[in-house]
Structures are given as structure tokens and as C-alpha cells.
Amino acid sequence: MTTQEIVSRLWNLCNVLRDDGITYHQYVTELTYILFLKMARETGMEKHLPEEYRWDRLAGKSGLELKKFYKELLNHLGDECRGLVQQIYQGATSNIEEPKNLEKIVTSIDALDWYSAKEEGLGNLYEGLLEKNANEKKSGAGQYFTPRVLIDVMTRLTDPRPGELCNDPACGTFGFMIAADRHVKRKTNELHDLVAEESDFQQQRAFSGCELVHETHRLALMNALLHGIEGNILLGDTLSEIGRHMSGYDVVLTNPPFGTKKGGERATRDDFTFATGNKQLNFLQHIYRSLKADGRARAAVVLPDNVLFADGDGARIRLDLMEKCNLHTILRLPTGIFYAQGVKTNVLFFTRGSSDSGNTREVWFYDLRTNMPSFGKTNPLKEEHFAAFEAAYAAADRTAVQDERWSRYTREQIAEKGGSLDLGLIRDDSVLDYDDLPDPVAGAEETIARLEEAVDLLMGVVRELRTLEEK
């Protein structure tokens, strides 16, 4: 049985819970509680669990006894245990009311082909389940879910290396850091090329993150654990005081949440130079300030279009970014890759300078938006869609790249446009021929002339009617 088949079976178990009114997202969270116990048994990690609250004890019960024991288990693991186990189960409650439904889930999980699952990687299994949840619109989890292919492209181009500190300040279920870990392992032959001390660093310190939502944080912990990552994943708001201490990173990969903070409330951080209620601008400030000022630390960040052209603090933050960092590339992403309708996004690639001024001299843009097909669930974004962009990005001489989607703007040209970075979009072929379009001014004049003629005609009719009435 393949990982994909196991994921499908686990996902289909959600149908069992429909009568209990459980949402898809609640189901994944509930499944996390139960899967952790089973996976701990399969991976030899049960030593972290009290003997009386392990998988075999849960699987050996049924009916009302199972439901009562499950509730007791959740409370004990969340209140009495320590470390990662407590973090996963803290505040855990069950939404399953019908004992038969709980029993069906436990027996179904126990009957899966766990040998095959271990062969393919339990982390891949769990990641597949999270992606399934994000792809299900009804779950609400995928509104700003970053497509796996985009995560992989951003990771490849930032190229995390062994010994570097990587961070995602808005980590969700930890997808970017999982990809960064996978990238490093490929480069180092699954860490066999590293000495024990370096291997410990990669496992325990190299990858970290912060997540605001408790339930999502729980999923991130589980995802990291199943991929062999023990890095620090904070529960909290990066834009609050907790974020002040998140710094000194070599690589930042992230897709911060969109929107304003609590209806426009400003971030509670007092170390930001520019105070604004725009979440993305605050995250951007945090990110470039969190990088090491060594000329090598780098970031790739998904941000909406408004960050490129916002006035006031937006313009000042962009200027500060271009002074402190080399903002070398902006990828204009296609629409439709996020489930929120109309969201237009970009990836900003930049490197922190060793000084705080004059680091950006020019910005290269790649337009992957204009004249592109409509992407979505039925037409997903694929790796081949990024091939030309990656080739241009990696070119030794960017000026030699022959691609109409690839363009350059100097700092002087950007300044002439008022500091806006809403640039680099090519001609839209949906407008068939720009030269043949009617002159809007001439068209307006013609319309006015016709209206005046109609008014004159109407007034003439009115005058004739009045003359007849008088007679």
C-alpha cells in the first residue's frame, strides 16, 4: 500500500464523523491525537509516553469504555506529561460524541499497512494528510496554503546549507522548514556526510518557526517530529514581543498571513522603525531585520501586491528594505493559486547586506502572471511552470537572458516611479491589439454629440405637443 493510498483511507474516515458534525480541520486535529499514539508505537518512541496511555491500551478498548478512556488519555498527556508530548496534547479535547465512530477510527488506523508507511516515511504520510486538508475548500485550511511546488522552488533558489539557521516566522504546519530540511539532506546524502555534532545541529537547531494558532501549532509539532526535526517551534505572534528574540538567521522562508492586524491595530513590537497596521509590511520588517548582517543571509517571502505599491509607511519600508538588503528578484505569481478569490501575490528574494545602506542597485522581475492559464484544483501549478523563471534566476549573466517575462529596473528608474515596485508585468494578450483600440476621448465626444442631438429632437417634440394643446 502506497502513502497516497493510506492518506486516502485516513481521509475517507472523515465520513464516519459527519453525524457528529465534525469539520475537516477538526478531523485532522482529532486524527493527530490518535495517529501520534500509533506512530509512537511504530517508531519506537513510546518511551516518551506513560505505559498506561499507549496505543495498545487504547486499541484494546471499545464502546463507552473506549470513549471514557480516550478523554482521560487526552487530559493526562496534556496536563501531566512534559516536553513535546505535552505541547501536542495541551488543551486537547475530543469532538467525537458517538463511541462507535471513535472505535471505527481506532480499528481502521490499527489495520493499515504500517510497514509500507514506514518504508515510504511517516512524515510523508502526515504531510499528505495536511495537504489533503488544505486542498479541501470546506476545511478553510487552504485559503492561503502555499502550493508544495512553490515551496520547493523557493527552497531550491535560497539553497539552505548544512550549519545554517533557517526560520519561518509564520510557519503554519511547518511546510517550508520540512522542505528546507529535505533540501539539506539531499545535499548531504541524508546527513551521512556530516559528523555527529553537525547531524545533531541539523536535527535539533537548524530549523525553527513560530505559529499563532494553537491547533495549527499542534499540527506543526507533529509534522516536524515525524520528519525527524526537533527544532524550536514557538506558539505565539511574531509581531508581538516574542518576535524580538527571533533573529540571527541565515535563511528565512515564509508566506505570512494576509490582511490587517485586528482590524488595523498596530503590532505590539516597539522595535519596528515603521509602525503600521498592515500585517505583511510588519512581517517584511521583521524578516529583513531577523537576517544576519553578513552579506550572505537570505530570504524568500510570499507577499501580496499591496506591499509593492502601498504609500506612506509602505514606501518607507520598501526603501529601508532596499537599503539594508539586495532585493535582487521579484517573481509576479499567477492568480488562482490561493483559494481566496482575487489574491495577487509575489515572491520577494533578497539578501541582507553587511552594511545598512545602498545594497539594492537594481531589481529583476519575472512575470509569471500575465497571459498564464487559470490555476486551481483542476489545473494545479506544476514544476514545469517555473522552469524558465529558475533558468533566468540562476543565469550567470542575467542581461543575456532572452525572455519577454524577464525585466530589470534600476534604483533610479524605481525612484522615478515614486518608489513603487508594482512593475515588470508584460503586455496582456487578452487585449487583442492596443493600437486598434478606439480613442477614449474621441469616443466620449461622439457620444456627447449624439446625446445632444437626441435632446434637441426630444425638445422639438415637446414644443409641438404644447402648441397642439394651446390650439
Side-chain angles (χ1 to χ4, degrees):
M1 184 181 294
T2 65
T3 294
Q4 188 175 0
E5 290 170 334
I6 295 176
V7 167
S8 294
R9 288 200 180 187
L10 288 173
W11 188 252
N12 288 335
L13 285 175
C14 186
N15 297 328
V16 174
L17 303 180
R18 282 182 177 172
D19 292 339
D20 278 334
I22 291 177
T23 66
Y24 288 101
H25 193 64
Q26 287 174 326
Y27 169 65
V28 173
T29 301
E30 195 91 51
L31 206 56
T32 295
Y33 304 150
I34 301 172
L35 275 177
F36 181 88
L37 300 174
K38 179 62 175 175
M39 290 177 171
R41 185 181 187 281
E42 297 298 326
T43 57
M45 288 168 40
E46 282 192 316
K47 60 184 179 183
H48 300 294
L49 298 168
E51 283 191 29
E52 63 271 27
Y53 295 109
R54 294 180 180 176
W55 176 259
D56 287 342
R57 294 292 180 92
L58 181 72
K61 300 184 185 300
S62 60
L64 288 172
E65 184 186 10
L66 172 63
K67 182 182 176 182
K68 181 180 177 182
F69 178 76
Y70 180 55
K71 183 178 179 180
E72 179 186 314
L73 177 149
L74 294 179
N75 290 334
H76 185 90
L77 297 183
D79 295 338
E80 304 299 328
C81 289
R82 294 291 177 265
L84 188 61
V85 172
Q86 185 185 47
Q87 285 184 290
I88 290 176
Y89 287 95
Q90 196 167 43
T93 57
S94 176
N95 294 290
I96 302 175
E97 295 296 332
E98 176 55 55
K100 287 184 179 179
N101 290 342
L102 176 61
E103 187 174 338
K104 172 70 173 176
I105 290 173
V106 172
T107 55
S108 296
I109 288 175
D110 202 32
L112 290 173
D113 181 5
W114 287 95
Y115 177 80
S116 296
K118 284 190 288 184
E119 286 293 301
E120 293 202 32
L122 295 180
N124 293 336
L125 187 157
Y126 191 68
E127 217 177 343
L129 192 63
L130 295 178
E131 187 169 11
K132 193 85 169 175
N133 185 37
N135 286 335
E136 175 51 65
K137 290 186 180 182
K138 294 177 184 177
S139 77
Q143 186 175 20
Y144 299 117
F145 175 77
T146 313
R148 183 72 51 80
V149 62
L150 178 57
I151 289 177
D152 290 340
V153 167
M154 291 168 63
T155 303
R156 274 198 304 274
L157 297 182
T158 50
D159 190 24
R161 297 158 195 163
E164 291 188 322
L165 289 170
C166 303
N167 181 261
D168 182 346
C171 69
T173 58
F174 217 56
F176 273 107
M177 295 297 97
I178 299 295
D181 173 62
R182 190 180 294 124
H183 179 83
V184 171
K185 284 177 177 175
R186 278 198 296 264
K187 291 175 72 73
T188 56
N189 192 25
E190 293 294 327
L191 299 183
H192 292 165
D193 297 340
L194 303 178
V195 299
E197 184 178 341
E198 292 171 328
S199 181
D200 288 343
F201 172 86
Q202 292 302 129
Q203 184 177 3
Q204 299 167 11
R205 293 186 53 209
F207 308 102
S208 60
C210 185
E211 171 54 38
L212 175 64
V213 180
H214 194 177
E215 292 303 320
T216 308
H217 177 253
R218 201 190 307 272
L219 301 179
L221 291 171
M222 181 78 162
N223 202 13
L225 177 69
L226 292 172
H227 283 88
I229 300 175
E230 299 174 17
N232 192 22
I233 306 177
L234 300 172
L235 173 61
D237 185 359
T238 296
L239 302 183
S240 70
E241 285 301 295
I242 194 175
R244 291 177 65 107
H245 309 291
M246 296 167 58
S247 61
Y249 301 117
D250 299 286
V251 176
V252 172
L253 290 160
T254 189
N255 179 5
F258 302 163
T260 56
K261 181 179 174 60
K262 296 180 181 177
E265 177 187 334
R266 298 183 186 276
T268 56
R269 296 265 294 270
D270 61 6
D271 61 326
F272 284 158
T273 305
F274 308 99
T276 172
N278 184 302
K279 273 186 181 181
Q280 302 90 60
L281 289 171
N282 281 324
F283 266 106
L284 182 56
Q285 286 189 87
H286 165 81
I287 291 160
Y288 67 75
R289 292 163 60 97
S290 73
L291 293 170
K292 290 178 181 175
D294 61 0
R296 296 185 302 274
R298 55 216 180 273
V301 188
V302 179
L303 292 167
D305 274 15
N306 73 78
V307 169
L308 303 184
F309 57 74
D311 293 330
D313 285 326
R316 288 185 278 273
I317 289 168
R318 289 194 301 275
L319 179 60
D320 194 43
L321 167 66
M322 289 189 286
E323 287 298 310
K324 289 184 169 64
C325 302
N326 178 15
L327 175 61
H328 52 82
T329 311
I330 295 178
L331 171 63
R332 311 301 302 262
L333 288 170
T335 56
I337 61 173
F338 297 103
Y339 296 133
Q341 292 297 316
V343 173
K344 295 181 178 179
T345 55
N346 315 270
V347 183
L348 276 61
F349 295 88
F350 51 87
T351 301
R352 184 73 159 86
S354 53
S355 67
D356 282 350
S357 63
N359 283 288
T360 299
R361 296 183 179 179
E362 61 184 19
V363 182
W364 286 88
F365 292 81
Y366 195 92
D367 180 6
L368 200 62
R369 178 182 303 171
T370 312
N371 303 326
M372 293 293 288
S374 178
F375 293 104
K377 193 171 183 180
T378 57
N379 182 34
L381 201 59
K382 297 178 182 177
E383 197 164 299
E384 52 261 35
H385 292 124
F386 292 93
F389 164 64
E390 290 194 67
Y393 183 101
D397 180 5
R398 288 185 162 192
T399 61
V401 175
Q402 300 296 311
D403 188 334
E404 68 166 346
R405 296 183 179 276
W406 187 236
S407 58
R408 174 181 61 168
Y409 287 82
T410 64
R411 281 292 295 275
E412 291 74 23
Q413 290 172 316
I414 292 169
E416 288 171 3
K417 296 182 180 295
S420 172
L421 292 171
D422 190 15
L423 306 168
L425 296 176
I426 62 174
R427 173 171 164 152
D428 189 344
D429 287 343
S430 64
V431 179
L432 297 180
D433 192 335
Y434 286 74
D435 297 329
D436 292 339
L437 286 174
D439 182 346
V441 175
E445 290 175 347
E446 183 180 348
T447 301
I448 292 170
R450 288 181 178 177
L451 285 172
E452 288 175 344
E453 289 176 5
V455 170
D456 288 342
L457 179 63
L458 183 61
M459 292 303 294
V461 172
V462 170
R463 282 193 297 270
E464 288 183 14
L465 288 173
R466 285 178 178 173
T467 301
L468 290 171
E469 286 177 359
E470 290 172 357
K471 289 180 179 179

